[in-house]
Amino acid sequence: MLNFLKHATSQTVTENGAIASRTTHSSLLDWFAQAGALRTRDEQDIIRLFSQAWADDPLLALKSLFYFRDVRGGQGERQTFRTVLRYLALYHLHALEQNIHLIPVYGRWDDLYILFGTPAEGAAGRLITAQFTQDLASDAPSLLGKWLKSENTSSKESRALARRTRQILGLSAKEYRQSLSRLRARIGIVETTMSERRWSDIEYKSLPSQAGLKYRQAFLRQDNERYMAFLAAVANGESKINTGALFPYEIVRQVPS
């Protein structure tokens, strides 16, 4: 009787009137089925689904979480990932600290900012400090410098995070600003090059996927000859456009209707 009621109440219908199930009767599968479409859902819904999946199998729940954040091999879900990170910091700190080094691997360095003000802030700060020190001594730094907050931004929240970052790094405002400038110059951030109008310095074949898509109209306006030559080289198989972090729909929606 109970099994029948459980089955009956878990049924729903699709938009076309077909019978469907509300649940897979597995918390882990329910999480996996829905996590890719949670960006507009309430944070409590996200936490409820993940915590139930965690109760089923913590390891698979964590693996799926990083899959959903993965910007190349997964679904690139930023908000869901950050919501769950904060939950883990509060309720499963040890597990989070064991895997915190994977956050910038599957996501971005600024994902760590969601942990500021939580019990995991210390671990996040140590990871940032270690990479920051390594990058300053390297000719090929990571993307940490790109994603660290700057104190001269218009956002009050970003300025506060920047101040906390430099405090963790033990730097003055001037030292932090100069260090970020050095790192960003070595990284070759395209936005910096564009703002300085150094269009001829842009290596189009080396542009990150999102930047190549987002700024293509600016390249056509400001550096038409070089950019058109690059596109011709791509068409002839002599060069390439990086697309590893793009989804098909992001490309298709740019095509005029």
Side-chain angles (χ1 to χ4, degrees), residues 134-149:
Q134 180 179 324
D135 285 348
L136 285 177
S138 174
D139 292 328
S142 72
L143 292 178
L144 172 66
K146 175 179 180 178
W147 296 114
L148 288 182
K149 301 294 185 181

Side-chain angles (χ1 to χ4, degrees), residues 5-66:
L5 289 173
K6 184 178 180 181
H7 177 73
T9 57
S10 70
Q11 288 188 334
T12 185
V13 293
T14 67
E15 292 184 4
N16 296 325
I19 296 175
S21 294
R22 295 181 188 274
T23 176
T24 64
H25 301 294
S26 164
S27 296
L28 190 62
L29 288 179
D30 283 348
W31 156 254
F32 191 83
Q34 297 183 58
L38 292 175
R39 65 184 65 176
T40 60
R41 295 272 289 275
D42 185 88
E43 286 190 359
Q44 292 305 312
D45 286 341
I46 297 172
I47 293 170
R48 174 181 55 80
L49 281 167
F50 180 80
S51 62
Q52 290 172 349
W54 179 275
D56 271 5
D57 190 318
L59 179 58
L60 287 180
L62 270 180
K63 286 184 175 181
S64 64
L65 177 65
F66 279 97

Side-chain angles (χ1 to χ4, degrees), residues 113-181:
Y113 279 124
I114 198 65
L115 301 177
F116 279 31
T118 76
E121 180 178 317
R126 288 190 293 273
L127 183 62
I128 289 172
T129 300
Q131 189 63 55
F132 190 83
T133 303
Q134 180 179 324
D135 285 348
L136 285 177
S138 174
D139 292 328
S142 72
L143 292 178
L144 172 66
K146 175 179 180 178
W147 296 114
L148 288 182
K149 301 294 185 181
S150 299
E151 285 191 280
N152 59 354
T153 184
S154 59
S155 168
K156 182 178 180 180
E157 179 183 5
S158 292
R159 290 198 302 272
L161 289 172
R163 283 193 296 273
R164 183 63 189 133
T165 303
R166 70 171 176 81
Q167 288 168 358
I168 289 171
L169 294 172
L171 301 175
S172 67
K174 180 179 180 180
E175 291 170 333
Y176 182 62
R177 184 176 64 254
Q178 291 177 338
S179 295
L180 280 187
S181 295

Side-chain angles (χ1 to χ4, degrees), residues 57-116:
D57 190 318
L59 179 58
L60 287 180
L62 270 180
K63 286 184 175 181
S64 64
L65 177 65
F66 279 97
Y67 162 75
F68 285 117
R69 182 64 182 103
D70 192 350
V71 296
R72 291 178 176 80
Q75 298 192 22
E77 288 292 335
R78 184 169 64 227
Q79 189 56 44
T80 296
F81 181 71
R82 292 180 178 182
T83 297
V84 175
L85 283 185
R86 193 169 186 87
Y87 162 79
L88 289 172
L90 296 173
Y91 298 102
H92 302 286
L93 179 60
H94 180 64
L96 175 61
E97 289 181 336
Q98 285 185 310
N99 293 279
I100 198 169
H101 64 287
L102 297 174
I103 291 175
V105 175
Y106 289 92
R108 300 188 326 208
W109 281 98
D110 61 338
D111 288 337
L112 291 168
Y113 279 124
I114 198 65
L115 301 177
F116 279 31

